[in-house]
Amino acid sequence: MKNLLSDRINSLPASQTLAMAAKARELRAEGKDIIGLSLGEPDFNTPDFIKEAAVEAINQDYNSYTPVDGYLELKEAICTKFKRDNNISYKPSQIVVSTGAKQSIANIMQVLLNPGDEVLLPCPYWVSYSAIATLCEAKSVEIPSSIETNFKITAEQLEAAITPKTKLILFNSPNNPSGVMYTQAEYEALGKVLEKYPNIFIMSDEIYEHINYETKPFSIAAIPSLYDRTITVNGLAKAFAMTGWRIGYIGAPEWIAKACTKLQGQITSGTNCIAQRAAITAVLAPVSKIQYMVDEFKTRRGIIIDLLREIDGFNVNVPEGAFYVFPDISAFFGKTIKGKLIENASDFAMLLLEEANVATVTGEAFGAPNCIRISYAASELQIREAIKRIKEALS
Ligand code: GLU
């Protein structure tokens, strides 16, 4: 049949993280014993104290349309959280609550980007950034990194990537997929470059903020000279095991927040009322309440790194946050394994799926073609079994 879809949707790639998760589900339905390490989704239940807040909201008859930018109490709670955790001062008029951080990110790009604008993507970057930029008819400009530079970019690289068309740069620390975190000093060095280009906006995606193992992350909006053009994105999915509740939010210059609200007003309206009421409790809770999940992720991080390092050809960095490892597997390129020629990371991820029954995601989706992403938001048992299978398949 003739393709009657718009150019816009035809040019949009499907999300490879979700596609791999769907493929794993499909194979499972066929009876295959697939271990899914492709999706970044905590395997914990939402903590009881948050569930109780949601039940209370239902019983209190929260069921009407919500303000497009979120309940005032939630926005106030988010301001308290930004001050407490990130040393950033926002007023409620600078906050917009959305249906997941993904919508927050899409809002920002929709309200800031014109066709032909350039978006800088320090590699590796989360898969949907470039896709959303494409939807805005903007051009993604990758700034490469590798395991040798601990997956970080330098101030010199940043300066070299800037052109008169550069409109936005997207930071994400702790990073999905590499788990690395930019330090305050590193952000200040990058900030020195950005200070010279006042027309460039900064989006800082901090969704993995609380999942850190050695040091607390630094928020780039806390650099005073950048505050006025930085949008800080966060949400509840990862730290509070609330992926399906769909609560994301931004702190932004007021005029950007207003524009996001206008956009949301035409597309989704305000976010789900029950999830928002529960979010007030979650956002204000001391971080110690979710520490048990972070401790567990840390244990698993140690296990998966040790196991992967036993496999020849896996070059593994130590992620400081999030729940992914991002090994460089380029040593396998050009080799034939189980009759299959491995030319790139996608071939390798497919080999792991077909021969080891383990779902991962190719690094190509994240602008890092030498790597694959493995999520360790899975039980220790699953992690051990998955890596054992991978080892066997490759031996
Ligand atoms: N952010 C998660 C991931 O990277 C969830 C899936 C998605 O929305 O891409 O796996």
Side-chain angles (χ1 to χ4, degrees):
M1 192 182 131
K2 199 170 153 220
N3 184 346
L4 298 173
L5 296 170
S6 68
D7 295 345
R8 191 180 311 114
I9 197 68
N10 281 328
S11 65
L12 185 74
S15 162
Q16 293 205 46
T17 47
L18 300 184
M20 201 54 162
K23 175 112 193 128
R25 234 177 274 131
E26 205 178 288
L27 290 172
R28 241 178 250 130
E30 283 170 19
K32 286 219 169 116
D33 171 26
I34 303 291
I35 301 179
L37 303 183
S38 57
L39 203 59
E41 172 158 46
D43 57 328
F44 294 97
N45 289 323
T46 303
D48 285 344
F49 73 97
I50 302 173
K51 290 197 281 194
E52 280 155 20
V55 170
E56 204 178 300
I58 293 173
N59 289 331
Q60 287 178 351
D61 291 316
Y62 277 95
N63 43 36
S64 312
Y65 283 129
T66 59
V68 173
D69 51 348
Y71 286 125
L72 180 61
E73 290 118 296
L74 176 54
K75 295 197 299 168
E76 284 169 347
I78 291 167
C79 291
T80 304
K81 173 255 168 305
F82 270 131
K83 191 77 209 150
R84 179 192 71 186
D85 300 337
N86 313 97
N87 196 26
I88 317 174
S89 299
Y90 288 120
K91 297 194 291 284
S93 56
Q94 295 177 274
I95 307 294
V96 181
V97 179
S98 300
T99 302
K102 201 183 244 177
Q103 186 186 18
S104 302
I105 294 163
N107 282 347
I108 294 162
M109 290 207 242
Q110 294 267 10
V111 306
L112 285 179
L113 298 173
N114 278 318
D117 283 345
E118 292 178 2
V119 181
L120 298 181
L121 299 176
C123 292
Y125 55 85
W126 180 50
V127 52
S128 293
Y129 294 166
S130 56
I132 298 170
T134 302
L135 208 50
C136 298
E137 296 175 61
K139 187 178 159 209
S140 296
V141 177
E142 296 185 352
I143 309 180
S145 73
S146 67
I147 197 161
E148 282 75 35
T149 60
N150 196 23
F151 296 114
K152 289 182 189 178
I153 62 154
T154 61
E156 293 71 34
Q157 280 181 291
L158 170 60
E159 180 108 50
I162 292 173
T163 76
K165 289 190 168 170
T166 308
K167 182 72 183 280
L168 185 64
I169 179 160
L170 307 186
F171 288 115
N172 172 218
S173 170
N175 179 267
N176 172 8
S178 70
V180 304
M181 284 168 33
Y182 281 88
T183 63
Q184 179 171 351
E186 285 162 345
Y187 264 150
E188 279 167 354
L190 296 168
K192 281 266 168 307
V193 176
L194 292 167
E195 276 168 16
K196 291 193 263 174
Y197 303 91
N199 297 330
I200 300 178
F201 290 85
I202 301 153
M203 187 196 85
S204 176
D205 176 353
E206 304 183 2
I207 188 79
Y208 292 96
E209 165 188 31
H210 292 310
I211 304 171
N212 61 75
Y213 307 116
E214 264 84 41
T215 51
K216 298 266 163 265
F218 178 77
S219 294
I220 191 164
I223 299 177
S225 60
L226 301 178
Y227 172 81
D228 275 340
R229 50 194 171 106
T230 300
I231 305 108
T232 308
V233 179
N234 213 323
L236 302 186
K238 310 297 184 183
F240 297 93
M242 292 174 72
T243 50
W245 296 62
R246 309 311 299 138
I247 296 280
Y249 57 86
I250 58 165
E254 206 170 282
W255 60 277
I256 295 178
K258 265 197 181 139
C260 291
T261 303
K262 182 163 92 174
L263 180 67
Q264 234 168 244
Q266 292 287 22
I267 295 181
T268 52
S269 294
T271 303
N272 175 286
C273 51
I274 308 304
Q276 280 199 59
R277 299 311 302 181
I280 298 172
T281 301
V283 161
L284 291 177
V287 179
S288 57
K289 284 236 184 193
I290 51 167
Q291 191 59 38
Y292 66 98
M293 293 190 259
V294 181
D295 290 345
E296 182 61 33
F297 286 135
K298 186 173 182 180
T299 305
R300 297 173 188 178
R301 176 187 71 156
I303 293 168
I304 196 163
I305 289 173
D306 287 350
L307 292 174
L308 284 175
R309 284 186 170 160
E310 284 172 16
I311 307 178
D312 274 350
F314 273 73
N315 187 3
V316 190
N317 75 317
V318 178
E320 301 150 86
F323 35 59
Y324 308 104
V325 274
F326 200 54
D328 182 312
I329 44 79
S330 57
F332 294 97
F333 295 174
K335 296 202 167 141
T336 300
I337 304 167
K338 304 245 179 219
K340 289 171 181 141
L341 175 64
I342 306 301
E343 288 187 287
N344 50 47
S346 298
D347 290 346
F348 191 75
M350 206 39 78
L351 177 89
L352 298 188
L353 183 63
E354 287 167 356
E355 300 297 334
N357 284 345
V358 176
T360 59
V361 186
T362 172
E364 282 161 6
F366 307 96
N370 286 344
C371 303
I372 58 164
R373 188 188 81 173
I374 308 177
S375 163
Y376 54 88
S379 72
E380 188 180 323
L381 211 70
Q382 283 178 309
I383 292 169
R384 287 189 184 279
E385 174 63 18
I387 309 306
K388 187 173 131 236
R389 289 188 196 175
I390 292 175
K391 197 172 179 181
E392 278 167 13
L394 296 174
S395 65

